[in-house]
Amino acid sequence: MGNSRLPLLKWIYAVYFMESSPKGMPSTQLAKRLGVTQKTAWYLAHRIRRAWQEDVPTHYEGPIEVDETYVGGIEKNRHIGDRTGAAKLKYKGKTPVMGMKDRATGRVSAVVLDYVNKYEAVEFIFPRIDEGTLIYTDEAVIYHFLPNQSSVTHSRRQYRDGDCYTNGIESFWAVLKRAHKGTFHSMSYKHLQRYVDELAAKQGRQHIPMLRRIEDTFRDMVGCTLPYDELIAD
């Protein structure tokens, strides 16, 4: 932000508009509210999202809910030449995202992956938990080896077994999908992690007063850079 030509007041308004929009705000709308070009608003929004990035894994005491989802277009909306035509290939062309939600704090961590397997699950989960942390998942086999893990079987319409359920992280996936379809319409693989970081950061700070959230965002911007050439690089 230090080398920005925009007045500080526009940065403050931008952070406020983005913080107060649970499913995000498109750059076209942000541009109108700030009185800047769409290109400027797009760059500004990504620099703010960079401050919301989880540089160091957040530590959760748990219990935690872990799940994965896939982000991409709906099959019937794809070009006819890109359709898979098979239910078992319904995730083809989509990007996997793995996430966890801490029940005690409501905070969320999520990471964009190239593929989903138990090794990726280990790298994502273990740095964020203690030994003995309770882990709740669905029936996916990639989680079966985890210690202190319990699961529900969604394929058999089992969505809760005592304290074991994944409704919390699935509610975050619902927000992500609504942001994709209703707000941004398109989130490329290249920039998807920043959109996920934005939504995850806001999900875990809903109980914090707005002024405090804005202050925290500007504090996180200190030393945080995202040059335009890096943003648009292939």
Coordinates of all heavy atoms in Angstrom, one line a residue, residues 84-91:
T84 N -18.2 -33.9 -20.0 CA -17.7 -35.2 -19.7 C -18.7 -36.3 -20.1 O -18.3 -37.4 -20.6 CB -17.3 -35.4 -18.3 OG1 -18.5 -35.3 -17.5 CG2 -16.3 -34.3 -17.8
G85 N -19.9 -36.0 -19.9 CA -21.0 -37.0 -20.3 C -21.0 -38.2 -19.4 O -21.7 -39.2 -19.7
A86 N -20.3 -38.2 -18.2 CA -20.3 -39.3 -17.3 C -20.3 -38.8 -15.9 O -19.5 -37.9 -15.5 CB -19.1 -40.2 -17.5
A87 N -21.2 -39.4 -15.1 CA -21.3 -38.9 -13.7 C -20.0 -39.1 -12.9 O -19.6 -38.3 -12.1 CB -22.4 -39.7 -13.0
K88 N -19.3 -40.2 -13.2 CA -18.0 -40.5 -12.4 C -16.9 -39.5 -12.8 O -15.9 -39.4 -12.1 CB -17.6 -41.9 -12.7 CG -17.1 -42.1 -14.1 CD -16.6 -43.6 -14.3 CE -16.2 -43.8 -15.8 NZ -15.7 -45.2 -15.9
L89 N -17.1 -38.7 -13.9 CA -16.1 -37.7 -14.3 C -16.6 -36.3 -14.0 O -16.2 -35.3 -14.6 CB -15.8 -37.8 -15.7 CG -15.2 -39.2 -16.2 CD1 -15.0 -39.2 -17.7 CD2 -13.9 -39.4 -15.5
K90 N -17.6 -36.2 -13.1 CA -18.3 -34.9 -12.8 C -17.3 -33.8 -12.3 O -17.6 -32.6 -12.4 CB -19.4 -35.0 -11.9 CG -19.1 -35.5 -10.5 CD -20.3 -35.6 -9.7 CE -20.0 -36.2 -8.2 NZ -21.2 -36.2 -7.4
Y91 N -16.2 -34.3 -11.7 CA -15.2 -33.3 -11.2 C -14.1 -33.0 -12.2 O -13.2 -32.2 -11.9 CB -14.5 -33.9 -9.9 CG -15.5 -34.1 -8.8 CD1 -15.5 -35.3 -8.0 CD2 -16.5 -33.1 -8.4 CE1 -16.4 -35.5 -7.0 CE2 -17.4 -33.3 -7.4 CZ -17.4 -34.5 -6.7 OH -18.3 -34.7 -5.7

